[in-house]
Amino acid sequence: MPKTRTTPPSTPPTTPLRAAIARQLKAQGDPQRAEQQQAYMKSSMPYAGVAAPELKKLCRATFKVHPFSEATAWSAAVADLWRHAAVREERYAAIELLLLPRYRRAWLTPEQVPLLREMIESGAWWDYVDLLASNAMAHLLKNHPQTITPLLYEWAEDSNLWIRRTAILAQLKFYDATDTKLLFFAIQHSMGDKDFFARKAIGWALRQYSKTDAQAVVDFVLLHRENLSALSISEALKVLRKQGYPLGQLS
């Protein structure tokens, strides 16, 4: 029987935007910085070696040359940059494109949730996820609460750590507009997770909300201190301890 010839998977054609981003990253990249960035981030994907401020400038300039006039092409470009990234900065560029104000305001709607979830699950690290949670998901929650609130209740119980972290951190910038029922629900469903990134997210979210309602955070920590990790409690009360807020039994 003749051997079956297998066709190697085809490499997707380079789109003009992705090619332009790649050229700029190669031109501006610093190999020494790239090594340091990769080591710090513990990343299997290499870096080009472009610092964050320069990357933002590079992205904004390139996006002006390659504009989008409709949502489908924009979301396809975000997905293209993300899925075919050769260096980590290309994924940062995908997030920059996703959050670019003129596109975010017009086109970042619940229809983009599958793409957002894909980015969170495949990114699976704090540098990606925290940007997506506190910006993209926050935008969706603020503008489409009837759709996104029940979704985040589902995400809070998800088996994926990074999906749950997104549910916890989505309201970081909401302050007095925080839906505390949703926030505390999301936290409670990750309290038993021993992973550092779950425990850190819990503490961070509580610390942030303590700036708005200190007593609500103190009461929550008191009620759940047997289940909250020492890290979560320490982070949650950090600002309040510094301010000398009366912590009662938590002092």
Side-chain angles (χ1 to χ4, degrees):
M1 179 181 295
K3 293 183 179 180
T4 303
R5 179 177 295 177
T6 58
T7 303
S10 59
T11 302
T14 302
T15 59
L17 175 59
R18 180 155 50 92
I21 292 286
R23 283 196 304 270
Q24 292 296 321
L25 289 173
K26 184 175 182 180
Q28 297 186 32
D30 178 341
Q32 185 175 358
R33 181 193 294 275
E35 289 184 10
Q36 294 169 348
Q37 289 173 312
Q38 186 174 5
Y40 172 76
M41 202 55 67
K42 300 177 182 178
S43 173
S44 59
M45 183 180 289
Y47 276 81
V50 177
E54 284 68 37
L55 178 62
K56 285 183 178 291
K57 293 178 185 177
L58 178 160
C59 286
R60 296 299 173 96
T62 307
F63 296 158
K64 284 183 180 180
V65 178
H66 298 272
F68 297 95
S69 58
E70 50 91 21
T72 302
W74 162 75
S75 62
V78 172
D80 180 63
L81 278 167
W82 183 270
R83 293 169 182 163
H84 304 128
V87 293
R88 206 168 182 90
E89 288 95 337
E90 288 177 290
R91 285 193 160 180
Y92 297 151
I95 296 175
E96 288 287 326
L97 182 58
L98 180 74
L99 298 175
L100 195 66
R102 65 179 180 272
Y103 299 145
R104 181 186 65 214
R105 288 191 294 264
W107 299 330
L108 183 52
T109 64
E111 286 71 25
Q112 304 303 332
V113 167
L115 174 59
L116 184 57
R117 177 161 186 140
E118 175 191 335
M119 294 168 75
I120 292 167
E121 289 185 320
S122 59
W125 203 239
W126 64 267
D127 57 333
Y128 298 140
V129 173
D130 295 0
L131 282 172
L132 294 169
S134 62
N135 293 286
M137 185 54 75
H139 170 88
L140 290 173
L141 179 59
K142 180 180 178 180
N143 291 282
H144 305 276
Q146 292 185 331
T147 301
I148 301 303
T149 299
L151 175 71
L152 286 178
Y153 273 101
E154 293 178 12
W155 283 24
E157 299 183 273
D158 202 273
S159 60
N160 185 291
L161 161 67
W162 300 102
I163 294 296
R164 283 186 283 111
R165 183 172 168 106
T166 299
I168 294 169
L169 299 181
Q171 299 187 82
L172 272 183
K173 303 174 184 178
F174 277 37
Y175 302 104
D176 59 359
T178 298
D179 178 342
T180 52
K181 183 180 177 183
L182 172 59
L183 173 64
F184 292 154
F185 181 91
I187 289 172
Q188 285 176 265
H189 282 79
S190 283
M191 287 192 302
D193 196 321
K194 295 183 179 181
D195 191 284
F196 169 84
F197 290 104
R199 296 182 172 192
K200 186 73 173 181
I202 289 170
W204 185 12
L206 288 172
R207 183 179 78 230
Q208 191 73 355
Y209 189 58
S210 76
K211 301 172 186 177
T212 297
D213 191 339
Q215 194 57 48
V217 171
V218 171
D219 291 344
F220 182 87
V221 173
L222 274 170
L223 182 63
H224 297 285
R225 59 180 170 173
E226 297 302 320
N227 297 313
L228 287 165
S229 69
L231 172 62
S232 295
I233 293 173
S234 175
E235 287 292 320
L237 303 178
K238 184 177 289 185
V239 170
L240 301 183
R241 291 189 191 282
K242 187 175 181 179
Q243 293 174 343
Y245 188 88
L247 299 176
Q249 300 175 48
L250 297 172
S251 298

